[in-house]
Amino acid sequence: MKENIMTLINETPIRLIPIRDALSSMNIIDIGDIFDELSREQTIQVFRMLPKDIAANVFAHIITDKQQIIVEALTDAEAGNIINALFMDDAVDFLDEMPANVVSKVLDNVTPERRTTINTLLNYPDDSIGTIMTTEYMALQEDLTVMEAFDRMRKTKVHGLHTCYVVRRDKILVGYITLKTLLLAKQHERIGDLTRRNVISAQTLDDQEKAAALFRKYDLLSLPIVDSENRLVGIITVDDVVEIVEEEATEDFEKMAGIMPIDDDVPYLKEGVFKQSIQRIGWLLILMFAAIFAEAILTNFEDAMAALPALIPFIPMLMDTGGNAGVQTSSLIIRSMALDEISSKDVLKTWWLEIRVAVLCGLGLSIANAIRVAIFGPRNALLTLAVSLTLMLVVVLAKTMGCLLPMVAKKTRIDPAVMAAPIIKTLLDVVSLFMYFSIARLILPGL
C-alpha cells in the first residue's frame, strides 16, 4: 500500500482524488509514516489532501520536523484548528519541540481555555509527569447515578473510557470505576457505591520513570495524576508510558555507549552528520585524554618490557578481560536499579554477591589461561603466575567497580548509565596495566 501511494505522489501532475481515497483507507499511524519519505513541498501537498476528520490524528503521528513544515505552511486559523483537535498531551508534545515563533502562532489561534491548559503543562519541569499527562479524562462525581454517568460520557471526548475516575465536588480523587462495572450496574445506582477506592496515582512533579514503574508493577492501562492536594488534574495512558520507556532506554543506551543524548525524534538516517559528530566526539575526547595515563604507565615500565619482552603479549588480554568483566557487572546493576530490584541501601549486599561471583570467574579464567600458556606460551612458571594472579585481581576489581560506581552515581544523583562501558573500560585499562607490571616486578627476578 505504501509503495502504491508513493508512486501516486511522485506522479506529475499529482492526482488529488486517487491519493485522497488511498490515504482514507489507511491506518492513521501508517499515514504518518509516509510523511518520513516526502519532500517539503510534498509534505504540504499531501497533508492538505487529508480529509479534515483524520488530519489532526495523522498530524500527531508525524515526525517533528515535518510537523513544523506543515504548521508554517498553514494559515493561522488552520494551525489553530489542528491544535484544538489534538488530544492535549499530543498538542503539548508538539509545542514543546517547536521554535518560539511557531508556538506563538499556534497559541494565538487556539481557544482561551486550551491556551491556559497548554501553558500550564508546558511550565512543568522537564521529565516530570506533568509534561506528559493529558487533561482529557473521564471524571465522575460520587453522587451521580449510572444513567447520568453514561449521559456525560456520551458528550465528552476523552482518552480511555475503559476506566473512569471518581472525584468529590472539589475534584479530590477518591477512586475509580471500570466501564464493565457501569455496564453491569442498574441505572439508578450511585457511582459512589460502585467505586473502587484502592486507586494507584502519581503526582504532577514526580519523575516520568515513576509512572513507568507503576504501570509495570500494577499492569495499568491508565494512571490518574493528582496535584499536591490530591486533586485530579490529568491521566497518563499506556501509549505515553511506551514512549517514556523508549526515550529512557535510548538515553541510557547513548550514555552507556559514550554518546551525548540529544532530545529529538529524528530517525538515524535523517539525522545530520554534524549533529551526530557533536553527539559522539565529546566522550571520545575525554576518553582519549584519559588514555594518557595508560601511556604513562607503559612508558614507566619500559625497562621491564625490555628485560622480558614476553610480558607484552599478555597486555591486550588483561585489559580486555578487565573491561569486559566490569561492563558485564555494570550493565546488570544498571538494569536492576532501573527495574527497582536493588537500591542504594542494598550496596553492601550487592557488592558481596559480586565479589563472590568475581572470585569464581577470576579463578576459572586464571586456570584456563595457565593451561593455555603451558601449552602454547613461554615456558616460564613465574611469568604464568604473574599473569594469572593479575587476571584474578583485575576481574575482582572490575566487578567491584562495575557494581559500586553505578550505585554511587545513583546515590549522588548522577545518571548511573554514565558509569558504564566507556568510563569503566578506560579506568580498568589503566589499573590493569599498573597491577600487571607491579606484580611482575615483585615475582619475576631482574625486572
Side-chain angles (χ1 to χ4, degrees):
M1 176 65 79
K2 182 176 179 180
E3 291 75 13
N4 294 337
I5 291 179
M6 289 303 301
T7 300
L8 290 172
I9 292 173
N10 290 320
E11 285 182 354
T12 305
I14 192 168
R15 295 186 292 164
L16 172 61
I17 295 178
I19 295 175
R20 183 187 179 96
D21 291 343
L23 291 173
S24 299
S25 65
M26 292 181 64
N27 183 283
I28 58 172
I29 296 176
D30 293 331
I31 299 174
D33 290 341
I34 287 175
F35 283 85
D36 294 351
E37 311 296 327
L38 303 182
S39 66
R40 182 184 183 88
E41 294 73 19
Q42 289 174 329
T43 296
I44 298 168
Q45 281 182 318
V46 172
F47 188 80
R48 289 190 178 279
M49 294 179 191
L50 293 173
K52 290 184 179 180
D53 59 330
I54 68 168
N57 288 330
V58 171
F59 184 85
H61 296 284
I62 297 174
I63 61 175
T64 302
D65 59 338
K66 297 299 176 70
Q67 286 179 330
Q68 182 174 345
I69 290 170
I70 291 167
V71 169
E72 289 175 344
L74 297 176
T75 65
D76 291 356
E78 288 172 331
N81 289 337
I82 290 291
I83 303 305
N84 279 326
L86 290 173
F87 280 110
M88 190 63 70
D89 54 339
D90 292 329
V92 172
D93 285 345
F94 161 68
L95 292 172
D96 197 36
E97 300 291 335
M98 291 297 107
N101 63 313
V102 174
V103 174
S104 298
K105 173 181 177 178
V106 170
L107 291 182
D108 287 343
N109 292 277
V110 299
T111 61
E113 298 82 6
R114 198 167 183 83
R115 184 185 310 121
T116 300
T117 304
I118 288 173
N119 282 326
T120 299
L121 296 178
L122 286 173
N123 285 328
Y124 282 113
D126 290 343
D127 295 326
S128 69
I129 287 177
T131 61
I132 58 167
M133 71 180 183
T134 181
T135 56
E136 293 152 326
Y137 54 88
M138 179 52 62
L140 302 173
Q141 293 175 354
E142 290 181 289
D143 55 357
L144 292 178
T145 65
V146 171
M147 184 170 65
E148 290 171 333
F150 276 122
D151 287 340
R152 180 168 297 185
M153 291 166 68
R154 292 187 189 99
K155 300 173 184 176
T156 308
K157 172 194 173 185
V158 297
H159 270 295
L161 280 174
H162 48 75
T163 303
C164 303
Y165 295 99
V166 181
V167 296
R168 300 200 308 236
R169 288 198 174 274
D170 54 4
K171 286 195 169 184
I172 297 295
L173 178 66
V174 296
Y176 69 98
I177 187 170
T178 64
L179 183 58
K180 178 181 177 181
T181 300
L182 287 173
L183 290 170
L184 296 177
K186 294 180 174 62
Q187 291 187 348
H188 63 274
E189 289 188 83
R190 286 180 65 254
I191 295 299
D193 296 333
L194 302 170
T195 298
R196 298 182 183 180
R197 299 182 183 267
N198 58 333
V199 62
I200 306 298
S201 65
Q203 291 196 342
T204 52
L205 298 181
D206 289 338
D207 191 273
Q208 293 178 10
E209 290 188 11
K210 179 178 179 179
L214 289 174
F215 270 82
R216 181 173 59 246
K217 182 175 182 178
Y218 295 103
D219 291 329
L220 302 175
L221 293 177
S222 61
L223 176 70
I225 308 303
V226 298
D227 62 14
S228 58
E229 298 178 358
N230 204 44
R231 291 187 298 242
L232 183 63
V233 293
I235 66 169
I236 294 176
T237 51
V238 69
D239 58 310
D240 300 316
V241 173
V242 170
E243 292 182 10
I244 293 171
V245 171
E246 181 181 351
E247 289 172 4
E248 295 292 341
T250 299
E251 182 179 330
D252 287 346
F253 177 82
E254 289 174 336
K255 289 178 179 177
M256 291 172 72
I259 300 173
M260 294 180 181
I262 293 181
D263 186 19
D264 60 29
D265 61 353
V266 180
Y268 170 75
L269 292 176
K270 303 287 184 180
E271 191 76 88
V273 172
F274 182 75
K275 183 178 282 190
Q276 291 213 31
S277 301
I278 292 298
Q279 278 185 286
R280 304 181 195 187
I281 197 170
W283 271 113
L284 291 176
L285 282 170
I286 292 170
L287 298 173
M288 181 184 73
F289 285 111
I292 290 174
F293 293 102
E295 180 183 327
I297 290 172
L298 288 172
T299 301
N300 188 55
F301 287 99
E302 277 184 349
D303 56 337
M305 290 186 287
L308 186 59
L311 289 169
I312 298 173
F314 296 101
I315 293 175
M317 181 268 293
L318 291 170
M319 294 171 66
D320 287 347
T321 301
N324 292 335
V327 170
Q328 263 189 351
T329 299
S330 66
S331 299
L332 289 173
I333 296 299
I334 291 169
R335 176 187 177 277
S336 297
M337 287 193 296
L339 296 176
D340 290 328
E341 294 175 354
I342 58 174
S343 63
S344 299
K345 68 178 183 295
D346 300 314
V347 60
L348 291 178
K349 187 186 299 184
T350 307
W351 175 71
W352 175 236
L353 171 63
E354 286 299 325
I355 282 292
R356 287 176 289 166
V357 171
V359 169
L360 290 176
C361 289
L363 189 60
L365 291 171
S366 296
I367 292 172
N369 180 69
I371 294 172
R372 178 186 70 85
V373 173
I375 298 173
F376 302 107
R379 301 303 174 91
N380 188 326
L382 290 179
L383 176 59
T384 302
L385 176 61
V387 173
S388 298
L389 182 57
T390 303
L391 188 58
M392 178 77 178
L393 294 176
V394 164
V395 170
V396 171
L397 180 63
K399 291 198 171 290
T400 297
M401 290 174 61
C403 168
L404 296 182
L405 286 180
M407 299 188 79
V408 170
K410 182 78 170 180
K411 185 70 174 177
T412 55
R413 300 184 182 278
I414 299 173
D415 193 328
V418 174
M419 299 298 178
I423 291 290
I424 288 177
K425 285 181 71 71
T426 302
L427 288 174
L428 285 168
D429 285 349
V430 175
V431 174
S432 60
L433 281 175
F434 181 77
M435 290 174 62
Y436 179 41
F437 287 112
S438 298
I439 290 171
R441 274 186 170 172
L442 288 173
I443 293 177
L444 295 167
L447 292 185

